[in-house]
Amino acid sequence: MDKSRQVDGRLVDYKEPEELEQIMDFSLPDQGVGPEGIFPTINQTLQYSVNTFSPRFMDKLYAGTTPIGVMSELLLAGLNGNSHVYHVSPVFTLMEIHVTRALANLCGFTGPLAGGLSCPGGSASNQLAMVTARNALFPEIKKHGYFPRPSVQEREELEKQGYYIRPSASTYGKLIVFTSSAGHYSLEKSAVIMGLGTENVVGVPYDSYGAMIPSELERLIQEHIALGHTPFFINVTAGTTVLGAFDAIRPCAEIAKKYNCWLHVDGSWGGCAIFVPELAKTLLDGTELAQSITINPHKMLQTSLQCSLLLVQDTSVFPRANSLKANYLFHGQSHDLADGTLGCGRRSDAIKLFLGWKYYGKLGYQARIEKSLSNVKRFVELLAQDDYRGQRIQMLRLGNDRDDCEDGRATKGGKDMYQPSHLQVCFWYRPRGSRLIDWRGTEQACKDSVELSSSTASSRIASAAGTPPLKATNQPYLSQAISSFVSEDDTLLAASATPSPNSSSVSLVSSVSISSNASSSSTATSTLAAAPSKIDHGLILRDPEEQQEAKAWMERVTKAVHARIRVRGEFMIDYAPFGTYSPIFFRVVLNPPTIREIDLVKLVEEILECGEAVADKIPIPEFCREKSA
């Protein structure tokens, strides 16, 4: 672990599966090997596993734990406690009750029964939230099963066939879940487990910054009500997996109240931002209006895996919705936590947050998150300083051309310096000799082409399409949250970032945003309200065949660079898709607060070096080549 933190340290001695099976003995014997025989396996496990403790582990939304996290695991393993009933796990039970209550209070749940339960992962927390919501809103399902009344379409079809439709005794139609199209797949998994079906999880369109559009949410709810369906669960994402976008909670809460839906906030990734007051006021504005919130401290707070908490306004809802009165185990003790879950035996993962909070304090956790935000800002600056690297890095550009042309844009040296909305930084490596391609513009050109060539289906409710958008109240946080730990010049850059009307995120723009023939006076301006003619985001591909060829080429480049970085073992980063038309891009998660300036600098150099090594082996399409002067 110590070696991986050195300047030239590796975080993994990477081997492909076939090679690793040749190196290690994975056979399971009839006769045990004993203490001496087991240590070679333990040592090899340490040698060939990924050391997430390294500050260069930037692949996933979690990272290595802390010393107090290791101590928590030792307590859990040593005591081997089971916090299903109080009398076999009294200390762990009270730790869970108190830490979930404190976290719920931070989120604005201040009632006497506010609190929560620990679950084995964010997906399990989201599932418990959905089951609890359904059973609380429709308690008859718990006993009689799920038998919704026929929808309007089903009734019409059966009546056409000559069937008589007897009036249904059911109080509900087909139950519908609404979540952002950029939300986590655990909502669909939960629908499968609950027998609702994935087609009844409605993906709500997101804006160009990756945040769910509240007006589209209401439009879709109205359409499903007209079909005889019953909307019952709205999932708002606080920190999407790919871009880290935050859906606007407050306007979605207004919609949920209007249509009698349970509002759940999936804050598995971004929920711990509640420890930073400015983020709580902006990105997480409105959490107090939700019925439930998922938060995973094993991500942003580096508690050891896994630690996921489901918070609610009133913890009595758990046993009301989920208890089966198993009197051989539960004897009326209100502190028997498993009575409100979907299982029985349960590990006391909440103590990891309890002990960590005790050790670092709320202010210590705040400082850890702010340090990570500072690292994100610095990394984007390093990526944008590509003038001496031949402009090999191209930031993912979101937003829209109207924003780019009309808003005052903070620039430095003629390059846009916008920050991501959270701890993910997304970009492409652009091979030497290739033209800059405006993937955002290409995507829009593709959509325009599709709309022209096919008739757009009309809304099933005429009035719904005209529903005015509800204005999001949470604003970009960088100008407020980062100002306390950056220089005045850097604060100026962050302060002028402007979001879209329906988003809480700040646009990520191409680091090569000013054309090469821009005037020197414009380039030197520190704050630039750029005219459309001065902005060059690159080549827009309009031919469908060229679009596909260029996308395939860029994806080959990204995967080849990623594979080389992975095998070298000094860094771990990942790539991800976003949308249909743009190629996959690198996604670096700067979660560990232990990341140093040298790690950020070396990562940029690693990407450039690996890019140079592989890009020449992947031919650039002719129409993507730079034109000779």
Side-chain angles (χ1 to χ4, degrees):
M1 294 174 73
D2 185 60
K3 288 179 181 178
S4 72
R5 293 175 61 85
Q6 297 174 6
V7 174
D8 296 319
R10 301 177 70 188
L11 61 83
V12 62
D13 184 359
Y14 184 82
K15 308 294 181 186
E16 293 294 341
E18 299 79 9
E19 186 180 2
L20 189 56
E21 286 184 331
Q22 294 297 318
I23 296 173
M24 292 184 63
D25 181 7
F26 290 101
S27 65
L28 299 172
D30 293 331
Q31 190 70 32
V33 297
E36 293 183 1
I38 201 65
F39 269 97
T41 302
I42 293 174
N43 288 331
Q44 286 181 316
T45 300
L46 291 170
Q47 180 179 353
Y48 296 111
S49 291
V50 175
N51 180 14
T52 61
F53 181 74
S54 169
R56 299 179 183 183
F57 180 77
M58 307 172 184
D59 189 302
K60 304 301 178 189
L61 301 183
Y62 66 92
T65 186
T66 60
I68 193 64
V70 176
M71 290 299 298
S72 303
E73 292 289 353
L74 287 174
L75 275 175
L76 286 170
L79 291 172
N80 201 31
N82 189 340
S83 61
H84 56 346
V85 292
Y86 172 80
H87 71 269
V88 301
S89 193
V91 177
F92 287 167
T93 297
L94 288 178
M95 284 181 172
E96 180 167 344
I97 290 173
H98 280 272
V99 77
T100 54
R101 181 184 300 158
L103 192 56
N105 290 165
L106 273 185
C107 295
F109 295 174
T110 57
L113 295 178
L117 292 170
S118 65
C119 299
S123 293
S125 291
N126 289 341
Q127 179 190 333
L128 179 60
M130 193 183 295
V131 172
T132 302
R134 185 196 65 181
N135 293 350
L137 293 172
F138 307 99
E140 65 267 33
I141 293 178
K142 183 177 174 182
K143 181 177 181 180
H144 300 298
Y146 176 52
F147 297 102
R149 60 176 177 257
S151 68
V152 172
Q153 302 138 309
E154 291 167 335
R155 291 180 65 89
E156 290 177 351
E157 185 63 31
L158 290 171
E159 287 171 352
K160 287 180 182 177
Q161 298 177 19
Y163 291 98
Y164 168 71
I165 309 299
R166 187 171 55 188
S168 174
S170 176
T171 62
Y172 58 91
K174 191 178 292 185
L175 296 181
I176 308 296
V177 176
F178 297 85
T179 186
S180 168
S181 295
H184 196 260
Y185 70 90
S186 59
L187 276 296
E188 293 175 301
K189 287 274 191 176
S190 298
V192 171
I193 294 170
M194 294 170 63
L196 302 180
T198 58
E199 71 174 15
N200 296 311
V201 178
V202 178
V204 180
Y206 49 80
D207 63 19
S208 57
Y209 300 86
M212 183 166 68
I213 304 173
S215 60
E216 286 295 291
L217 168 65
E218 183 163 27
R219 178 182 66 82
L220 290 168
I221 288 176
Q222 291 175 348
E223 290 190 358
H224 279 276
I225 290 175
L227 294 172
H229 301 161
T230 300
F232 88 103
F233 191 88
I234 297 173
N235 178 71
V236 176
T237 306
T240 56
T241 303
V242 176
L243 297 181
F246 283 71
D247 297 340
I249 300 172
R250 191 169 296 277
C252 292
E254 295 174 7
I255 295 171
K257 183 178 180 180
K258 181 177 180 179
Y259 296 99
N260 195 33
C261 294
W262 182 288
L263 182 71
H264 174 67
V265 177
D266 179 9
S268 297
W269 172 221
C272 284
I274 201 72
F275 281 91
V276 182
E278 290 302 327
L279 304 189
K281 294 176 184 177
T282 54
L283 298 183
L284 296 173
D285 174 55
T287 52
E288 73 280 2
L289 303 175
Q291 277 69 54
S292 57
I293 303 173
T294 292
I295 293 182
N296 288 3
H298 69 242
K299 293 181 177 176
M300 290 181 68
L301 300 185
Q302 290 82 47
T303 64
S304 55
L305 280 165
Q306 54 192 346
C307 181
S308 179
L309 307 174
L310 177 63
L311 310 174
V312 292
Q313 299 266 13
D314 181 353
T315 51
S316 67
V317 72
F318 287 129
R320 286 203 313 272
N322 304 317
S323 174
L324 293 179
K325 309 297 182 185
N327 56 15
Y328 61 86
L329 179 63
F330 305 112
H331 307 315
Q333 168 59 264
S334 61
H335 288 44
D336 290 348
L337 300 182
D339 202 23
T341 72
L342 303 179
C344 180
R346 55 197 306 273
R347 201 165 187 260
S348 303
D349 290 321
I351 80 153
K352 302 170 190 177
L353 178 61
F354 181 91
L355 293 177
W357 196 329
K358 199 87 167 175
Y359 184 81
Y360 292 107
K362 186 173 70 172
L363 294 179
Y365 275 150
Q366 176 181 338
R368 294 176 73 85
I369 296 171
E370 289 177 339
K371 176 60 167 60
S372 296
L373 291 170
S374 178
N375 283 334
V376 170
K377 185 176 189 301
R378 180 58 181 147
F379 186 55
V380 172
E381 290 173 347
L382 289 171
L383 290 176
Q385 292 173 6
D386 60 357
D387 51 332
Y388 60 91
R389 296 183 176 97
Q391 298 178 341
R392 303 275 64 81
I393 300 296
Q394 179 184 350
M395 299 295 291
L396 179 70
R397 183 169 71 91
L398 302 179
N400 55 62
D401 294 331
R402 180 181 177 85
D403 289 339
D404 294 338
C405 294
E406 293 187 359
D407 293 336
R409 316 304 280 176
T411 64
K412 187 174 185 179
K415 296 184 176 65
D416 291 316
M417 299 286 289
Y418 284 139
Q419 303 292 316
S421 60
H422 202 37
L423 302 183
Q424 296 103 306
V425 181
C426 303
F427 57 91
W428 289 279
Y429 170 81
R430 187 165 66 90
R432 193 178 301 279
S434 64
R435 298 180 67 181
L436 177 67
I437 297 175
D438 181 357
W439 293 108
R440 181 74 179 88
T442 296
E443 179 183 20
Q444 190 60 51
C446 289
K447 290 179 178 178
D448 292 343
S449 177
V450 170
E451 290 176 0
L452 287 174
S453 60
S454 61
S455 58
T456 305
S458 59
S459 172
R460 285 171 284 190
I461 300 179
S463 61
T467 303
L470 296 172
K471 184 177 181 181
T473 56
N474 48 346
Q475 296 298 316
Y477 60 81
L478 287 164
S479 60
Q480 303 167 25
I482 293 184
S483 60
S484 60
F485 49 88
V486 297
S487 66
E488 291 184 4
D489 291 340
D490 292 334
T491 303
L492 173 64
L493 299 176
S496 61
T498 305
S500 72
N502 292 316
S503 173
S504 61
S505 317
V506 179
S507 173
L508 296 174
V509 297
S510 170
S511 61
V512 189
S513 61
I514 307 298
S515 64
S516 58
N517 60 356
S519 65
S520 57
S521 60
S522 297
T523 303
T525 304
S526 62
T527 303
L528 177 67
S533 60
K534 295 288 184 66
I535 291 182
D536 178 16
H537 290 301
L539 173 68
I540 295 178
L541 302 173
R542 302 185 184 278
D543 181 84
E545 292 185 3
E546 289 186 350
Q547 293 163 0
Q548 290 303 314
E549 186 179 351
K551 179 183 176 183
W553 159 65
M554 277 296 292
E555 294 196 341
R556 286 185 63 194
V557 170
T558 301
K559 290 179 179 179
V561 176
H562 176 267
R564 188 171 180 85
I565 293 173
R566 182 182 67 234
V567 171
R568 284 161 64 101
E570 293 188 23
F571 290 89
M572 290 202 77
I573 62 175
D574 205 357
Y575 58 79
F578 186 73
T580 305
Y581 304 102
S582 298
I584 58 175
F585 48 80
F586 287 109
R587 185 198 63 162
V588 175
V589 185
L590 299 181
N591 189 12
T594 54
I595 294 173
R596 304 154 298 188
E597 173 90 4
I598 185 63
D599 299 315
L600 300 176
V601 172
K602 285 183 69 67
L603 176 55
V604 175
E605 298 297 342
E606 178 84 352
I607 294 166
L608 296 172
E609 182 180 337
C610 291
E612 292 288 349
V614 303
D616 290 344
K617 302 174 183 178
I618 304 174
I620 303 173
E622 185 61 35
F623 56 89
C624 292
R625 292 182 180 275
E626 287 183 340
K627 305 300 182 183
S628 58

